Amino acid sequence: MMRVGFAYYPEHWPRSRWKRDAGLMKRGGFNVVRMAEFAWAFMEPEEGRYTFDWLDEALDILGKHGISAILCTPTAVMPAWCAAKYPETLATQANGQRIVWGVRKNNCFTSGTYRLLSERITRAMAEHFRNASNVIGWQTDNEFGGPACYCATCRSEFRGWLRRKYGSLDRLNRALGTHFWGHIYTDWDQIQAPVDEGGHNPSLCLEWCRFNSWLNVRFQRDQVRILREVCPRHFVTHNFMGLYNNLNYYELAEDLDHVSWDNYPVWGKPEVPYGAAAAADVMRGLKRRNFWIMEQTAGPGGWGTFGRNPRPGEIRKIAYQQVGHGAESIIWFRWRTCTAGREQYWHGILGHDGRPLRRYREASKTARELRALGDLLSGTTVRTPVAFIYDYESQWALRIQPAFPENNPHQAMFRYYNALFRLGIQTDMISPARDLAEYRVVVAPDLYLLPDSLARRLCEFVRKGGVLLTDCRTGVKDETGLCHPRTLPGLLRSCLGIEIQEYETLAKDMEYSVEGKEELAGSYAAVHYADWVIPRGAELLARYTDSHMKKYAAVTRYRCGRGWGYYVGAVIREDGFYDALMAEILRSAHIKPFLSPPAGVEVCMREGAAKRLLFLINHAEEPRLVSLPCKAHDALSRRQVSGEIELEPFGIAVLRV
Ligand code: GAL
Ligand code: ZN
């Protein structure tokens, strides 16, 4: 069943309006709302006094209109009384100053008081709403990822966490390489929380990232435990932020039934939303299952200045893109634009005036369609033989030491991802712990932290017939952030057939020319970074041509066992290079795209329960023609189609093939 609806804030409007809201939702074909994530002060106006009557009433009205609700633990904004009475619940910044209350997400996660207050409101809500007939599930907090806190408790918990992890100072000193600059600890109390990622020991900074991620996971776990105990029939989810990478989302997802995420792709001029596609794949990969959209662009957004309006067709198109990647709900943020507060201009489906206009009509059309597709979609998800290893810890380590200023792990990923997207191939985003055997291609961009165990698994994947693509800065470090004392690419040499004795970064005004051969024929520019790759058995697919670089490869291919190991030792400027490379990789892996999409058209496939559903999504504002390789049944028009079909601007098609 598809859930379609809104983030809804009855507490922002007079009760006299609530029936009209519910009526409009029902009339529009919507069936779900999410509520109360910022309503702590409305539910506990003073410590220990709970007031749920307003929410009971709102739920009741919604229920009478056939609308279900997801309730949230409201801990993303502490009430004013909490900050005033227990100032230690506010986070302390790196400069030692406490955050001034009044924005949101400003709590300290180790404060025992805050944790206790969080458990109390969670339990009070759970007990009060456990039998509310239209409550279906819970969202924990809102968009975890608050500021790191440097208060005394957090710093001492950090030490305790390290102590549990390493057991002895000796092991800690070795793991973090504290011999450098003589940073050797002789007492646990000497360990500082690093305040400057660009200056402190990178290994310590990495541990600080892990610790802060864990604090969020622990905080959520305390809430989940209560929700599970009191409300066993409700699901528990959280609204993740797509490509946000400051937390280890795999760990945050572990305690939940499913992942939900907040999708805001409307910024700047309309363009192909590769980011929203990749984010959806990351979200699906966290638990290896379909996800919910808990918030989605409904109108111009911004806190001071604000962005553009979704154009006709765009609200619907954004929704279908997510469904094509595995979304089981579309919830827009928000129902009606609030007349007050910091998000006055974060526009909802309705404006300040509360009238159901163009955006409402488009959301309503989308809702009706998606609900009608519900049965067809059920039991289906994305299945693909291509996976990217998406590793949070490598991303943290690269943020701490990016090698070149422009290096951003997502940019590296998108060079390959976007090319596959253009070729009509979907991908899974997987944790490094995942079994690789079910894939034929594994892309591991910027896999900077490479424990030996993972290196061995990658080599075995190749030997057994897999195609591995990896690139510069892969395998440089071990899991505690020490550089491997080996010639690069370390253990991966056995599946890549290369050696890298030297490497360098290239400043803005520097580049090398690169000449590709065979499938990669063409002239390209290496920018930002260059490995001086020496083939040791690998074939050379592209070489540098500048005089001192002539003998080095930039891109290689190696036959290892039954598989292939590809290496890209530079950042190549041209998109065309990546298009050719990914086409070559697909050939090596014997993967054929279902169809070749025209520019701007995205191809998604959901499969399962003996069904195959092809999603065609036109991100362009002009019509596009797509040639189908076979006859199909159009699930929306309920007609047979074949040959060429036309997608209108921002148009979509869902075809059973
Ligand atoms: C999300 C957040 C919402 C709202 C929205 C618009 O990130 O979860 O509460 O703030 O952005 O700013
Ligand atoms: Zn703290």
Side-chain angles (χ1 to χ4, degrees):
M1 169 179 187
M2 282 297 290
R3 306 280 187 172
V4 204
F6 308 97
Y8 181 45
Y9 304 91
E11 71 274 25
H12 294 176
W13 304 97
R15 288 185 188 208
S16 56
R17 169 76 192 197
W18 296 358
K19 275 207 182 85
R20 169 133 174 90
D21 284 336
L24 283 174
M25 289 182 199
K26 179 177 180 181
R27 182 142 57 80
F30 305 101
N31 59 8
V32 74
V33 293
R34 182 200 62 178
M35 296 198 288
E37 80 277 20
F38 302 125
W40 195 345
F42 289 87
M43 298 186 288
E44 192 179 357
E46 57 189 332
E47 188 179 350
R49 183 164 70 82
Y50 300 108
T51 46
F52 296 123
D53 52 310
W54 65 275
L55 192 47
D56 290 335
E57 189 181 332
L59 279 169
D60 187 55
I61 294 173
L62 291 160
K64 289 196 171 109
H65 289 80
I67 293 162
S68 314
I70 299 142
L71 298 181
C72 308
T73 60
T75 40
V77 177
M78 68 172 73
W81 58 255
C82 171
K85 199 165 164 187
Y86 307 112
E88 75 278 14
T89 59
L90 285 165
T92 299
Q93 304 164 68
N95 63 9
Q97 275 183 0
R98 212 167 252 159
I99 288 185
V100 175
W101 180 84
V103 187
R104 61 174 180 183
K105 309 245 30 114
N106 39 25
N107 62 280
C108 159
F109 281 108
T110 69
S111 152
T113 309
Y114 199 71
R115 293 178 67 196
L116 185 67
L117 292 170
S118 149
E119 289 184 22
R120 281 192 190 148
I121 184 67
T122 301
R123 186 171 291 278
M125 282 185 84
E127 280 171 355
H128 188 87
F129 295 107
R130 74 211 286 180
N131 293 320
S133 60
N134 55 331
V135 172
I136 54 173
W138 296 86
Q139 170 188 304
T140 56
D141 205 271
N142 191 76
E143 295 189 337
F144 275 116
C149 174
Y150 295 83
C151 76
T153 330
C154 283
R155 283 182 286 134
S156 107
E157 281 230 28
F158 179 46
R159 292 178 196 126
W161 180 85
L162 286 169
R163 190 169 192 157
R164 286 196 297 283
K165 176 164 178 179
Y166 289 102
S168 77
L169 275 175
D170 209 42
R171 286 184 54 202
L172 175 87
N173 278 317
R174 257 183 290 124
L176 305 191
T178 56
H179 49 278
F180 186 74
W181 281 346
H183 279 164
I184 299 153
Y185 305 114
T186 54
D187 191 303
W188 293 96
D189 286 342
Q190 296 161 353
I191 301 170
Q192 295 290 341
V195 291
D196 169 16
E197 270 193 353
H200 282 264
N201 178 352
S203 295
L204 184 71
C205 294
L206 182 61
E207 294 296 22
W208 178 242
C209 293
R210 288 182 173 128
F211 168 72
N212 276 291
S213 177
W214 173 78
L215 284 184
N216 285 264
V217 173
R218 179 180 72 171
F219 184 82
Q220 171 176 266
R221 186 165 296 158
D222 293 340
Q223 295 189 348
V224 173
R225 206 176 285 133
I226 295 166
L227 295 170
R228 298 257 181 245
E229 173 201 325
V230 184
C231 306
R233 280 171 310 159
H234 294 159
F235 65 74
V236 184
T237 187
H238 174 70
N239 57 336
F240 292 71
M241 293 183 276
L243 297 178
Y244 176 84
N245 55 5
N246 285 350
L247 299 183
N248 186 327
Y249 268 178
Y250 296 110
E251 288 174 8
L252 195 64
E254 235 164 66
D255 292 324
L256 303 172
D257 293 295
H258 63 257
V259 165
S260 303
W261 83 282
D262 299 346
N263 179 31
Y264 290 97
V266 180
W267 305 108
K269 67 176 197 297
E271 49 188 26
V272 176
Y274 295 112
D281 296 339
V282 171
M283 297 294 98
R284 196 180 62 250
L286 296 181
K287 290 193 81 73
R288 310 195 55 193
R289 56 172 297 187
N290 288 348
F291 54 86
W292 283 39
I293 292 293
M294 196 59 98
E295 297 181 14
Q296 188 152 284
T297 307
W303 278 20
T305 60
F306 56 85
R308 72 179 177 85
N309 202 12
R311 299 182 182 180
E314 216 177 347
I315 284 180
R316 175 171 174 261
K317 180 215 72 167
I318 292 168
Y320 274 95
Q321 181 190 32
Q322 291 303 311
V323 176
H325 284 260
E328 293 192 344
S329 81
I330 298 291
I331 295 176
W332 283 280
F333 185 90
R334 49 190 283 154
W335 168 241
R336 180 173 175 183
T337 317
C338 195
T339 55
R342 187 33 77 187
E343 294 195 356
Q344 277 164 315
Y345 304 118
W346 204 290
H347 293 80
I349 284 287
L350 311 188
H352 292 126
D353 61 9
R355 294 173 62 204
L357 304 176
R358 180 189 69 90
R359 297 199 298 260
Y360 169 89
R361 287 193 295 273
E362 190 171 318
S364 164
K365 173 183 174 180
T366 312
R368 288 180 197 289
E369 287 176 356
L370 290 177
R371 288 178 66 181
L373 289 175
D375 283 345
L376 196 58
L377 289 168
S378 109
T380 66
T381 188
V382 175
R383 288 195 192 142
T384 168
V386 181
F388 278 61
I389 296 184
Y390 191 81
D391 178 26
Y392 289 100
E393 301 200 340
S394 282
Q395 297 188 47
W396 299 338
L398 272 169
R399 193 187 62 211
I400 295 163
Q401 289 168 302
F404 50 94
E406 301 80 2
N407 197 13
N408 158 327
H410 285 147
Q411 272 171 27
M413 170 181 96
F414 280 123
R415 290 195 279 273
Y416 310 107
Y417 184 90
N418 296 2
L420 285 167
F421 179 118
R422 290 189 286 267
L423 288 164
I425 293 290
Q426 272 183 297
T427 61
D428 274 353
M429 294 282 172
I430 63 171
S431 130
R434 172 102 69 93
D435 183 11
L436 306 175
E438 63 191 87
Y439 296 101
R440 281 191 276 164
V441 174
V442 167
V443 185
D446 265 352
L447 194 55
Y448 186 40
L449 293 191
L450 188 67
D452 287 354
S453 54
L454 179 54
R456 291 202 182 90
R457 285 170 50 223
L458 288 169
C459 290
E460 170 173 293
F461 166 76
V462 177
R463 265 196 305 277
K464 290 190 168 160
V467 177
L468 172 69
L469 167 61
T470 188
D471 64 358
C472 35
R473 307 313 289 157
T474 286
V476 173
K477 291 190 152 198
D478 70 11
E479 53 268 65
T480 64
L482 303 183
C483 290
H484 288 294
R486 303 174 179 128
T487 308
L488 286 170
L491 297 183
L492 291 182
R493 173 171 173 172
S494 78
C495 66
L496 295 173
I498 55 169
E499 195 173 86
I500 302 158
Q501 297 172 351
E502 294 179 89
Y503 50 80
E504 64 183 321
T505 70
L506 304 175
K508 268 208 183 68
D509 51 355
M510 278 174 76
E511 59 182 60
Y512 287 134
S513 13
V514 169
E515 205 54 49
K517 33 176 257 193
E518 294 170 32
E519 290 81 359
L520 299 185
S523 303
Y524 311 103
V527 294
H528 302 318
Y529 192 86
D531 280 320
W532 299 17
V533 181
I534 304 168
R536 297 279 190 231
E539 290 165 69
L540 186 149
L541 287 185
R543 68 160 75 249
Y544 299 101
T545 57
D546 300 73
S547 54
H548 72 287
M549 292 297 280
K550 275 206 170 90
K551 57 179 185 213
Y552 298 106
V555 184
T556 56
R557 170 175 66 195
Y558 182 52
R559 182 68 168 165
C560 163
R562 285 185 285 138
W564 296 95
Y566 286 79
Y567 188 78
V568 178
V571 177
I572 305 288
R573 186 166 52 209
E574 292 78 12
D575 283 350
F577 166 83
Y578 293 98
D579 289 335
L581 175 69
M582 297 324 282
E584 149 73 12
I585 298 247
L586 294 179
R587 269 192 303 274
S588 291
H590 307 291
I591 296 170
K592 267 215 162 90
F594 183 79
L595 59 79
S596 291
V601 173
E602 182 174 1
V603 183
C604 303
M605 185 81 85
R606 280 177 63 159
E607 299 175 56
K611 291 172 281 193
R612 287 179 90 198
L613 303 174
L614 174 71
F615 288 73
L616 298 172
I617 295 143
N618 182 11
H619 295 293
E621 278 187 282
E622 303 94 46
R624 287 281 190 268
L625 288 175
V626 180
S627 328
L628 297 176
C630 60
K631 283 207 190 91
H633 181 259
D634 186 322
L636 291 171
S637 72
R638 297 170 190 276
R639 278 199 304 251
Q640 283 293 119
V641 292
S642 61
E644 287 212 316
I645 65 164
E646 182 174 314
L647 300 172
E648 58 189 34
F650 291 145
I652 58 98
V654 182
L655 306 176
R656 188 158 181 181
V657 292

